[in-house]
Amino acid sequence: GTTFSTEFPCPAGKYSDSDHIRDAEECVLCPAGFTCEEASTSSDITACAAGNVCPEGSSLSSVSSCPTGTYDGNSGGLTTIDECLNCTVGHYCDQEGMTTADLAECTAGTHQNQTGLSSCETCEAGWYCPGTGNVQATKCGAGYWSDAGASACNDCEAGYYCESETETVHSMLSRPCEAGTYCDANTMVAPDRLTDACPIGSYCPEAVSAPIACPAGTWGYRDGLASVDECSNCEAG
């Protein structure tokens, strides 16, 4: 309140401990790092809230916030935007006014190796990002593959081979094990007709997941058969 009709409170952003102010210009600017509401005295000065930026002469209605991609590492009392810190690697800052406690870790399947960003990067196909807070993606390695956004890699399927360290499902499917051979899961190199031949008594079409026994009444007289047509009829008697 005021004592006289010509007496006015100091405006927001200023304060005074004097009882005899005749003009708003006599009020003192609120110090940087604090806020002052209308009619404030020095005892009413409030520290700038965490996540906000309070230059000299601030009130609650005039403060700004640390922008997206940054955060308040001091838990309050900031005076300029330059005091906001860049979001750290492995994290993202997608809201204004974030503090250290608000820092969000990149979720599984994502990563971030740069600072000052508001989002994380999706892990590329052929790579994986386990757990949270990933800075870098990790190659799946030969014998495995992954889709984009993977938190773990998949076994290379039986019947195919995965020789690249960054295989995708599409690249895996482009490497079928040739007819007459057989590949177990997690195969890392193209099959060899001598060491990986389809076993005797079976035939192996291209990309077969397991050798197929020659049907009743027929038999496989050698290894490396590629189709059922190569199974020989059993002789009578």
Side-chain angles (χ1 to χ4, degrees):
T2 58
T3 305
F4 306 104
S5 60
T6 57
E7 183 180 352
F8 299 96
C10 284
K14 293 186 175 184
Y15 75 98
S16 178
D17 289 328
S18 174
D19 294 328
H20 306 291
I21 289 180
R22 292 172 293 180
D23 189 278
E25 295 301 317
E26 297 181 45
C27 298
V28 181
L29 283 173
C30 198
F34 295 86
T35 58
C36 299
E37 300 312 296
E38 185 180 67
S40 288
T41 65
S42 59
S43 61
D44 300 316
I45 296 175
T46 305
C48 191
N52 288 337
V53 177
C54 303
E56 186 180 46
S58 292
S59 65
L60 288 176
S61 62
S62 69
V63 299
S64 57
S65 300
C66 286
T68 58
T70 70
Y71 70 102
D72 174 3
N74 293 333
S75 298
L78 301 186
T79 62
T80 69
I81 289 291
D82 291 339
E83 293 177 3
C84 298
L85 303 178
N86 282 333
C87 202
T88 57
V89 295
H91 296 79
Y92 65 100
C93 299
D94 61 344
Q95 300 178 38
E96 294 183 350
M98 292 182 69
T99 67
T100 302
D102 300 322
L103 281 177
E105 287 188 319
C106 291
T107 57
T110 68
H111 67 97
Q112 185 53 265
N113 62 2
Q114 298 183 54
T115 62
L117 296 179
S118 59
S119 63
C120 297
E121 298 290 332
T122 299
C123 204
E124 295 181 11
W127 303 67
Y128 72 105
C129 298
T132 59
N134 293 292
V135 176
Q136 302 281 0
T138 303
K139 295 178 181 179
C140 282
Y144 298 88
W145 66 274
S146 75
D147 287 323
S151 59
C153 298
N154 303 296
D155 292 338
C156 193
E157 296 178 12
Y160 298 88
Y161 63 98
C162 299
E163 61 184 1
S164 168
E165 292 191 338
T166 54
E167 293 282 0
T168 68
V169 66
H170 300 295
S171 63
M172 177 191 71
L173 294 177
S174 72
R175 296 190 178 98
C177 297
E178 65 176 312
T181 67
Y182 167 65
C183 299
D184 288 316
N186 303 114
T187 295
M188 295 183 287
V189 295
D192 184 281
R193 279 192 168 273
L194 293 177
T195 58
D196 302 304
C198 196
I200 293 175
S202 302
Y203 64 97
C204 296
E206 181 182 83
V208 69
S209 60
I212 304 170
C214 285
T218 67
W219 67 293
Y221 67 94
R222 63 175 175 83
D223 63 13
L225 300 187
S227 74
V228 67
D229 295 335
E230 296 182 68
C231 295
S232 300
N233 290 322
C234 293
E235 296 182 5

